[in-house]
Amino acid sequence: METLFIVIFSVISFLALIPTVIFYTKSHRLKDLRTLRLGRLTIGFLASLFILFNGIMGIIFAANYNYHREVIVAIVVIELALFLIPAFMISFVVPIGIVILTVKMWRRESHSLANLILPAIILVFFLIDWIYIRVSSLTEGWLWLQLLSYIYPILAFYLLWQFIVFFFSSWTYGRRFRKKSAKYHVILGSGLIKGQHVSPLLANRIRAGIALASPETILVFSGGQGKDEKLPEGLAMQKYAIEELGFPEERTMVEDQSSTTFENLKFSSILIDKAENKENEEFLFFSSDYHVFRAALFAAQQGLNAQGGTGGKTPLYFRLPAFIREFIAVMNSQRRKHIFWVGLITGIFIAFSLFVLFMEHLVFNP
């Protein structure tokens, strides 16, 4: 019996070793890390590594089964926990945490409707959960509706998968990219306090850009003037860097026309290219830590020679809700692809449910 287990786990280890090497090699050969493919490769590598680890451990303990039963049980319990704990976190801890952190953000930051979007989404999910449970408990006469309700868990899994890919893409990008400095550091703007003062969040972005600056580095402060602001964000940031942080004014530039992250990068690149009298000059951009990867995706979409620098530190109460909003923004930027898949899944289940309803009608009403 021990020999059979050893053979089985040896095969598992060998089969898992192949994708482990493939995923690792592909992820390290990516020429451009500004892609969601980075997250998929990271997930594939970690999953293969986990299976490989189980295969090796299986070989070790199968060879000494009679002496290590307690250890095997302990390992099984630990591995079950590796699945159950994340499931518990996603199902309960994260939603509750988002609500609590959103309340803190509402108290300490601006009272905008955007800060209430996540709690509203969570309430909608809980409502859909309740409806799904109620539909699942219906009698067989409602089989068509029960089949239709399966759209929800499948789409929920689709959404969860997209979030996991985005999370690992962002996490891996922040650790793989190691560009220390460049001649131009672009600081991406955000809202001003009382329409004219740099917020602590924005100040951290400026400090991050200055921390990696060399004596030749030029800071480009990027941000236009919002409807409720007394001056462009770029000018406010420049003033803060000069007066509060002592950065030389002659090594600063201001881009004051942008209103979105996409425009921050685009207009800053145009400004830098004009200053250098060349096309697609390299630069680093600096934003809050939760925002760097989305900005990197936007830079890649425009074909800009730009990478994300160190992200400015963000309080936890702000970071988690903001990171989820980043995910929503990335989903929206690829909405055609997601609309296609969601429409295809929904259409299949609607067609199947209508077929079942039609068949039930024929059976009971010949």
Side-chain angles (χ1 to χ4, degrees):
M1 182 63 70
E2 290 85 353
T3 303
L4 177 60
F5 281 135
I6 291 174
V7 171
I8 292 174
F9 285 116
S10 297
V11 172
I12 292 173
S13 300
F14 176 76
L15 294 177
L17 180 62
I18 297 174
T20 300
V21 174
I22 291 175
F23 283 122
Y24 180 83
T25 303
K26 284 188 174 182
S27 65
H28 280 73
R29 286 185 177 177
L30 275 179
K31 295 181 179 179
D32 193 343
L33 301 180
R34 302 170 300 175
T35 171
L36 291 171
R37 188 186 175 200
L38 181 63
R40 290 191 287 269
L41 291 174
T42 302
I43 294 170
F45 170 71
L46 293 176
S48 301
L49 193 64
F50 179 76
I51 296 172
L52 176 61
F53 171 78
N54 277 272
I56 294 174
M57 296 302 293
I59 294 172
I60 294 173
F61 290 110
N64 301 277
Y65 180 74
N66 294 325
Y67 305 100
H68 297 286
R69 292 181 182 179
E70 296 81 3
V71 178
I72 294 174
V73 172
I75 291 177
V76 171
V77 172
I78 292 173
E79 293 190 352
L80 285 175
L82 291 175
F83 288 99
L84 295 178
I85 291 177
F88 175 76
M89 293 284 289
I90 293 172
S91 301
F92 298 99
V93 177
V94 171
I96 295 173
I98 288 175
V99 173
I100 294 174
L101 294 176
T102 300
V103 171
K104 285 187 177 182
M105 184 166 59
W106 178 268
R107 290 177 177 177
R108 301 181 185 182
E109 305 288 339
S110 62
H111 292 182
S112 63
L113 292 177
N115 290 339
L116 297 178
I117 291 178
L118 291 181
I121 291 175
I122 290 173
L123 289 177
V124 169
F125 269 107
F126 277 126
L127 177 61
I128 296 176
D129 275 338
W130 180 80
I131 294 174
Y132 175 73
I133 293 172
R134 297 280 296 183
V135 170
S136 299
S137 62
L138 294 175
T139 60
E140 292 184 359
W142 295 92
L143 179 60
W144 68 273
L145 185 59
Q146 292 175 335
L147 291 173
L148 189 63
S149 70
Y150 289 154
I151 294 175
Y152 170 65
I154 291 177
L155 291 183
F157 178 80
Y158 176 82
L159 184 64
L160 177 61
W161 168 251
Q162 297 299 328
F163 178 78
I164 292 173
V165 169
F166 176 71
F167 172 81
F168 277 103
S169 297
S170 179
W171 180 80
T172 307
Y173 179 82
R175 282 150 184 80
R176 286 277 306 278
F177 185 71
R178 290 291 183 268
K179 180 68 175 178
K180 294 293 184 182
S181 184
K183 182 176 180 180
Y184 290 93
H185 287 186
V186 175
I187 315 298
L188 306 184
S190 66
L192 302 176
I193 296 177
K194 296 181 180 179
Q196 60 181 334
H197 301 298
V198 170
S199 66
L201 182 144
L202 186 51
N204 286 338
R205 297 183 180 186
I206 298 172
R207 293 177 186 275
I210 292 177
L212 294 183
S214 68
E216 293 78 30
T217 298
I218 297 174
L219 295 188
V220 180
F221 301 100
S222 178
Q225 183 173 353
K227 294 181 180 179
D228 58 344
E229 294 175 334
K230 300 178 182 178
L231 74 166
E233 295 167 7
L235 286 176
M237 288 190 287
Q238 182 193 44
K239 181 180 178 181
Y240 179 86
I242 294 170
E243 297 180 359
E244 300 294 330
L245 303 178
F247 195 83
E249 182 177 1
E250 62 272 14
R251 288 167 51 201
T252 65
M253 298 169 62
V254 175
E255 182 286 302
D256 59 2
Q257 299 301 311
S258 57
S259 58
T260 65
T261 299
F262 196 90
E263 291 181 350
N264 284 145
L265 297 165
K266 178 181 178 180
F267 296 163
S268 295
S269 178
I270 294 173
L271 188 65
I272 292 170
D273 289 349
K274 286 183 179 179
E276 290 294 312
N277 196 26
K278 62 183 294 188
E279 292 185 0
N280 211 8
E281 172 68 13
E282 178 188 24
F283 64 89
L284 293 181
F285 57 84
F286 293 81
S287 185
S288 301
D289 45 16
Y290 62 83
H291 182 54
V292 170
F293 182 67
R294 178 161 73 97
L297 291 178
F298 287 168
Q301 288 175 12
Q302 300 180 70
L304 301 179
N305 189 12
Q307 297 283 357
T310 304
K313 299 300 180 183
T314 312
L316 179 62
Y317 72 85
F318 194 99
R319 189 185 308 159
L320 179 58
F323 185 77
I324 296 178
R325 287 203 301 270
E326 292 293 299
F327 165 66
I328 294 173
V330 170
M331 290 282 287
N332 183 59
S333 70
Q334 300 179 338
R335 56 184 175 275
R336 288 186 178 180
K337 179 185 75 173
H338 298 304
I339 288 174
F340 169 79
W341 285 110
V342 170
L344 179 63
I345 294 170
T346 303
I348 290 173
F349 274 90
I350 289 176
F352 193 37
S353 299
L354 290 176
F355 175 75
V356 171
L357 183 63
F358 175 73
M359 294 302 295
E360 288 180 341
H361 179 75
L362 288 181
V363 171
F364 294 104
N365 300 281

